Amino acid sequence: MALLATYYLPGMYTEDHSIRVPLDWSNPDDGRELNLFYRVLCAPGKENADLPLLVFLQGGPGGAGPRPLAPQSDGWIAEALKHFRIVLPDQRGTGRSSRVTAALARSMQPRELADYLHHFLADSIIRDFEHLRVSEFHGRRWVSLGQSYGGFLTLTYLSLFPGAIAAAFTTGGIPGIPAGPDSVYQSTLRMMKLKTERYYERYPQDVQRVGAVADAISGGGVSLPDGSPLTVRRLQMLGAGLGMKPCPERLHWMFDEAFCAGDGSVPVREGAESGPLDGRELSDAFLMDVLDATQSYSRPLYWTLQEFIYQDGGPDGECAPARWAASRALEASSEMAEGTRPLRFIGEAALPQMFAQDPSLKPFAAAEDLLMEDTRWGRIYDVKRLASNETPLQAAVYADDMYVPFAMSLYTLRGTGSAHAWITNEFEHDGVHGPVVFRHLYNEALDRGDLAGI
C-alpha cells in the first residue's frame, strides 16, 4: 500500500491511498497492472478509533468515487461518518485509478481496445475491491453502500464473495436478474416518456420552446462550441438527468435562455417567405449549456460501457450480443422520433450517433461496434448464491426510477435471501445524496439487528 497524503477537509479526516491490481484477474501474473486509488474518511477526533468499515460502491458505470466538499455536501456521508470509517475507491478506469481516456483509446487498435474494456466491468471491479479488503484491511468484513450501478456491483459482490460483506445497503440499484439490455431498455423507454410528460406538465410553456429549438436545428448546420453538430437526437439527450433532482428545473432554465433576440421569446415568423427558424437565433449561452450537459470528456466509460453492464456471461461465459439495444428501442418508437411534437427527451441510452459526433467518444467508436457484437462476457451474478444469501441487504427501491426498472428490482429482491425492500416514491434516483435515505436504511438495519455483528 502507498499512503499518498493525509489532510483535513471540513468535517473530515482524509487519507489518500493507492495499490496495484492486475488488469486481468483471470491471468493475474501476465504483468499488466492498474493503479487502484482509494480515499478513507472519518470524523475528526476518530482518527485512531476502531470503527467499522463502510465501502461506497459508486454509480456509473465509469464513475469515480465522490469528492465531498463537506459531510453535508453528500447526505449519506454526514450520516455514515457518525458510525463508520468510510472507504471511497475510484473504480478502475476512473478518477485516479488508471483512468481510461480518449488519448488511451487512440493509442490502441479497435480489437485491442475492445478486449481491454472488457476488464472494466463488475466482475473485475469487485475482484479489485475484495483484494483491497483482504490485503489492506486485513480481511475484515465491511459494510457496503451501493448507489445506482453500485447496487449492481453489490449483487456481484454477494455472488462472487459470499461472506465478505457484513451488511449491504443499496439505493436505486437492484438490477433485473436475469435481464439483458433489450428488456431493460424496453422498460426504461416507458419511463423516459413519463418523465417528459411530467416535465411538460410542470413547465407547459416549454412545449413550444423545446419544439422551436428542435425545429431550428432540424435542418442541420448548427454546431456546438467544440465544433460537434447539434442534432435533434443530441437535444433529446438532455433528458438523461430527468430522473434526478433538480434536473427538470435546470432544463427549464436552459431553454428559458435558448433564444437571443429581443426578450428571448420564441421568434415568430410572418408568412412562408420568412422561412423557418434556424440555429442563428439560438444563444451562445444555450449552445454552451447543451455542450456541458452532453459532452463526455470527463466520463467516457459511462457511455462506452453503458449497455454492457447488463451482459452477464453466466456459468458458460456466453450471452446474446447487445447490438445497440437502446438505439433499436428508440428507433422502433414513433413517439421518440425526432420529428414528433411535443419532442420527448431520452434518458440513459448510448447511441451510435454519439460515437460518431462527440469528439471525446470518437476514439472509442470502432471498439464500441465490436463490443456490441461480442458474445463472451464475464459472469456477474450467481442466482443460486443470491437465493441462499445470508448477508442482510437493505434496499431503497424508487417506484418512479427512470434508470432501474421498478418491477425488475422487486423480482430480483424476491429471489435474494435476507433482502428487505423499502419502496418509496418520495425520492428520485439520486435520493441518497440528501439527508434522509441512508439514515432511514441504517435505522431499519439497526432495528432488525442486522448490524449487531459489526
Side-chain angles (χ1 to χ4, degrees), residues 117-133:
L117 293 174
H118 269 273
H119 298 299
F120 290 83
L121 291 162
D123 50 336
S124 297
I125 292 169
I126 291 306
R127 287 183 168 87
D128 288 347
F129 293 173
E130 179 62 5
H131 175 69
L132 175 63
R133 183 186 73 87

Side-chain angles (χ1 to χ4, degrees), residues 2-282:
L3 175 60
L4 306 177
T6 63
Y7 50 98
Y8 287 86
L9 291 163
M12 295 173 284
Y13 169 70
T14 308
E15 296 178 355
D16 293 350
H17 300 263
S18 180
I19 63 173
R20 300 285 285 174
V21 295
L23 170 68
D24 183 357
W25 278 105
S26 69
N27 187 15
D29 299 322
D30 71 356
R32 296 180 296 169
E33 290 187 322
L34 303 171
N35 291 307
L36 179 67
F37 175 87
Y38 65 100
R39 185 165 278 123
V40 181
L41 308 178
C42 72
K46 296 185 178 180
E47 293 88 340
N48 299 311
D50 184 20
L51 298 169
L53 300 170
L54 182 144
V55 61
F56 183 66
L57 308 183
Q58 169 70 18
R67 267 60 177 173
L69 305 177
Q72 295 74 23
S73 69
D74 202 341
W76 72 267
I77 291 180
E79 181 65 28
L81 282 173
K82 300 175 185 177
H83 316 288
F84 298 98
R85 191 178 303 276
I86 301 172
V87 183
L88 300 176
D90 283 343
Q91 296 170 21
R92 53 168 55 200
T94 76
R96 293 173 63 177
S97 292
S98 296
R99 185 197 296 244
V100 172
T101 63
L104 178 68
R106 283 191 291 268
S107 73
M108 297 184 180
Q109 295 300 311
R111 185 69 261 175
E112 178 189 11
L113 176 58
D115 292 342
Y116 185 75
L117 293 174
H118 269 273
H119 298 299
F120 290 83
L121 291 162
D123 50 336
S124 297
I125 292 169
I126 291 306
R127 287 183 168 87
D128 288 347
F129 293 173
E130 179 62 5
H131 175 69
L132 175 63
R133 183 186 73 87
V134 171
S135 64
E136 306 305 322
F137 295 101
H138 312 293
R140 185 178 183 181
R141 294 206 306 164
W142 52 16
V143 174
S144 67
L145 169 60
Q147 157 63 10
S148 188
Y149 180 56
F152 293 36
L153 296 175
T154 301
L155 294 188
T156 300
Y157 212 146
L158 296 176
S159 295
L160 297 182
F161 300 103
I165 300 176
F169 300 98
T170 64
T171 53
I174 298 295
I177 303 176
D182 282 296
S183 57
V184 169
Y185 288 113
Q186 288 296 335
S187 180
T188 57
L189 183 63
R190 293 190 289 272
M191 191 56 70
M192 292 177 201
K193 297 173 184 176
L194 177 62
K195 293 293 185 181
T196 299
E197 290 168 4
R198 289 180 177 175
Y199 171 76
Y200 286 140
E201 286 171 2
R202 187 170 184 85
Y203 304 108
Q205 65 270 43
D206 288 358
V207 172
Q208 181 193 20
R209 297 186 72 81
V210 172
V213 172
D215 292 343
I217 64 176
S218 61
V222 181
S223 296
L224 295 173
D226 68 345
S228 59
L230 175 55
T231 62
V232 176
R233 269 291 187 242
R234 187 159 185 175
L235 189 74
Q236 290 176 288
M237 294 296 291
L238 291 172
L242 276 178
M244 294 182 281
K245 295 179 178 179
C247 178
E249 287 65 46
R250 290 197 187 105
L251 202 56
H252 169 67
W253 292 126
M254 186 186 302
F255 280 97
D256 183 68
E257 296 188 353
F259 296 100
C260 53
D263 64 1
S265 295
V266 177
V268 177
R269 290 286 179 268
E270 299 293 340
E273 67 280 4
S274 298
L277 300 181
D278 63 48
R280 290 172 295 181
E281 293 167 294
L282 298 176

Side-chain angles (χ1 to χ4, degrees), residues 224-226 228-230 233-242 244 246-255 284-299 302-303 345-349 354 358 360-361 403:
L224 295 173
D226 68 345
S228 59
L230 175 55
R233 269 291 187 242
R234 187 159 185 175
L235 189 74
Q236 290 176 288
M237 294 296 291
L238 291 172
L242 276 178
M244 294 182 281
C247 178
E249 287 65 46
R250 290 197 187 105
L251 202 56
H252 169 67
W253 292 126
M254 186 186 302
F255 280 97
D284 292 339
F286 175 74
L287 295 176
M288 181 58 75
D289 285 343
V290 174
L291 176 63
D292 288 344
T294 60
Q295 70 179 355
S296 304
Y297 287 105
S298 63
R299 296 178 64 192
Y302 177 74
W303 295 115
F345 291 104
I346 294 172
E348 197 173 52
M354 298 163 60
D358 186 332
S360 62
L361 292 178
Y403 313 99

